[in-house]
């Protein structure tokens, strides 16, 4: 029976997260486990979730002065896999996405991209990125790798995609081996908070949110009069409200272990994990 249940869950996870079950790590007792990040890796994944869960209309502060580079990243993703010490993201055009995530300084005062992110290395289809402050790792794995491509070919593509990083008024912070003062000043974005485990778990389930449910959410820090951060969105074609997302995150095969959802009404409720870790889910009128 356990084998049958395991096979059923593998099938469900493939349908919910677009993930090959063979890529999911297992616990010591052999159960599939989606949340494998250690503490510092969680800090990084939590920050990444808040950066990527943004839109053209409601941009993250790390968005570039023009365009919507972070806001468009989700449209390139194919699979997200959390491991103990890294996050694997299978993605179309990995080099292009890296050019948007690597940090830049604009006109000497504004940082775009992920502060502290650095290119550690690459092979012919995988970019290995490390976040200096947390030690968190992000591997961008190119889903369009063609047969016969070499490591040198991949490097040429990366160079072409990052060519604009040398335009007037732009300083590529990611070429420094050290964390620079302009990045250190933004440490609050990756500092551990009570909601960090939940944000990390939401990053692990980003494909469920973006693709399975068709939600394009934005992250909002707590207002001065409110205790909880908010993940909010306007329901799209599938008309998924907060109650539905809360149910999927706590009761589906892709649920967050130990999380509960306290529904207020169809459009708002509180997602809770352990003591003090909470995020308010809110769907807005269309």
């Amino acid at each position: 029976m356990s084998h049958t249940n395991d096979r059923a869950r593998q099938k469900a996870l493939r349908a919910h997260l677009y993930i090959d079950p063979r890529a999911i790590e297992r616990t010591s007792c052999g159960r599939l486990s989606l949340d494998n990040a250690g503490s510092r890796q969680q800090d990084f994944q939590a920050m990444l979730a808040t950066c990527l869960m943004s839109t053209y209309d409601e941009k993250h502060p790390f968005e570039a002065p023009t365009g919507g580079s972070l806001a468009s990243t989700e449209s390139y993703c194919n699979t997200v896999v959390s491991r103990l010490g890294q996050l694997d993201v299978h993605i179309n055009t990995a080099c292009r996405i890296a050019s948007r995530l690597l940090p830049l300084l604009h006109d000497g005062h504004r940082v775009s991209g992920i502060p502290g992110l650095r290119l550690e290395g690459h092979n012919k289809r995988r970019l290995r990125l490390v976040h200096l402050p947390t030690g968190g790792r992000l591997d961008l794995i190119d889903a369009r790798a063609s047969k016969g491509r070499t490591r040198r070919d991949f490097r040429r593509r990366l160079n072409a995609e990052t060519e604009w990083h040398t335009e007037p008024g732009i300083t590529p912070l990611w070429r420094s081996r050290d964390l620079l003062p302009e990045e250190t000043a933004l440490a609050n974005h990756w500092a551990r908070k009570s909601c960090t485990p939940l944000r990390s778990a939401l990053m692990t389930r980003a494909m469920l949110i973006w693709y399975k449910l068709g939600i394009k959410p934005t992250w909002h820090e707590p207002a001065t009069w409110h205790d909880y951060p908010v993940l909010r969105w306007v329901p799209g074609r599938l008309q998924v409200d907060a109650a539905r997302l809360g149910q999927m995150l706590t009761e589906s095969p892709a649920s967050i272990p130990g999380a509960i959802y306290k529904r207020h009404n169809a459009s708002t409720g509180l997602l809770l994990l352990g003591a003090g870790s909470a995020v308010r889910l809110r769907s807005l009128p269309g």
Side-chain angles (χ1 to χ4, degrees), residues 15-282:
H16 283 70
L17 300 175
Y18 307 91
I19 188 172
D20 187 337
R22 292 173 297 181
I24 304 174
E25 294 182 346
R26 292 177 179 266
T27 65
S28 57
C29 60
R31 290 183 58 82
L32 294 170
S33 175
L34 296 175
D35 301 282
N36 301 298
S39 175
R40 299 299 284 162
Q41 181 68 24
Q42 276 190 356
D43 294 344
F44 171 64
Q45 291 179 186
M47 178 184 65
L48 191 63
T50 63
C51 291
L52 301 187
M53 292 187 184
S54 59
T55 65
Y56 290 104
D57 293 328
E58 295 187 271
K59 296 179 180 179
H60 190 275
F62 295 160
E63 194 64 86
T66 59
S69 297
L70 295 178
S72 65
T73 299
E74 53 86 13
S75 63
Y76 293 84
C77 292
N78 297 313
T79 302
V80 176
V81 183
S82 178
R83 305 192 185 282
L84 179 63
Q86 71 186 59
L87 187 72
D88 286 350
V89 179
H90 295 253
I91 197 161
N92 297 333
T93 61
C95 293
R96 180 168 301 170
I97 298 306
S99 77
R100 301 176 178 187
L101 298 184
L102 290 168
L104 304 172
L105 185 64
H106 300 265
D107 298 320
H109 67 276
R110 179 176 177 181
V111 176
S112 72
I114 310 297
L117 197 63
R118 300 292 188 266
L119 176 65
E120 187 176 69
H122 67 91
N123 57 25
K124 62 182 181 181
R125 66 185 296 256
R126 181 188 295 256
L127 294 173
R128 300 184 182 92
L129 307 174
V130 62
H131 186 241
L132 294 181
T134 63
R137 293 179 178 272
L138 171 66
D139 275 23
L140 299 178
I141 304 165
D142 201 315
R144 296 183 176 181
S146 57
K147 189 174 181 179
R149 177 191 291 175
T150 66
R151 185 176 182 275
R152 181 176 295 180
D153 293 333
F154 202 48
R155 184 68 196 196
R156 287 196 191 102
R157 178 172 295 185
L158 179 63
N159 289 341
E161 292 289 356
T162 57
E163 187 176 8
W164 63 277
H165 289 190
T166 59
E167 291 178 359
I170 297 177
T171 303
L173 300 179
W174 60 274
R175 292 181 178 171
S176 172
R177 292 179 176 271
D178 302 314
L179 196 66
L180 300 180
E182 295 85 358
E183 298 173 293
T184 304
L186 300 167
N188 181 61
H189 287 271
W190 58 80
R192 175 154 285 256
K193 301 172 185 176
S194 60
C195 63
T196 292
L198 262 181
R199 285 188 292 153
S200 177
L202 290 171
M203 186 66 237
T204 301
R205 291 158 181 80
M207 296 299 290
L208 168 72
I209 297 170
W210 288 331
Y211 285 84
K212 180 69 176 180
L213 299 179
I215 295 172
K216 310 302 180 188
T218 56
W219 181 265
H220 299 268
E221 295 297 333
T224 54
W225 63 89
H226 208 292
D227 294 332
Y228 306 112
V230 179
L231 190 70
R232 74 185 188 195
W233 66 96
V234 176
R237 180 179 58 84
L238 299 180
Q239 292 297 301
V240 175
D241 59 18
R244 174 61 172 159
L245 178 58
Q247 183 269 330
M248 292 293 284
L249 292 174
T250 57
E251 300 177 21
S252 76
S255 63
I256 302 169
I260 60 173
Y261 183 67
K262 291 188 175 181
R263 169 177 168 152
H264 178 65
N265 53 42
S267 60
T268 187
L270 204 58
L271 183 65
L272 299 155
L273 180 64
S277 187
V279 172
R280 186 169 299 282
L281 304 183
R282 179 173 296 156

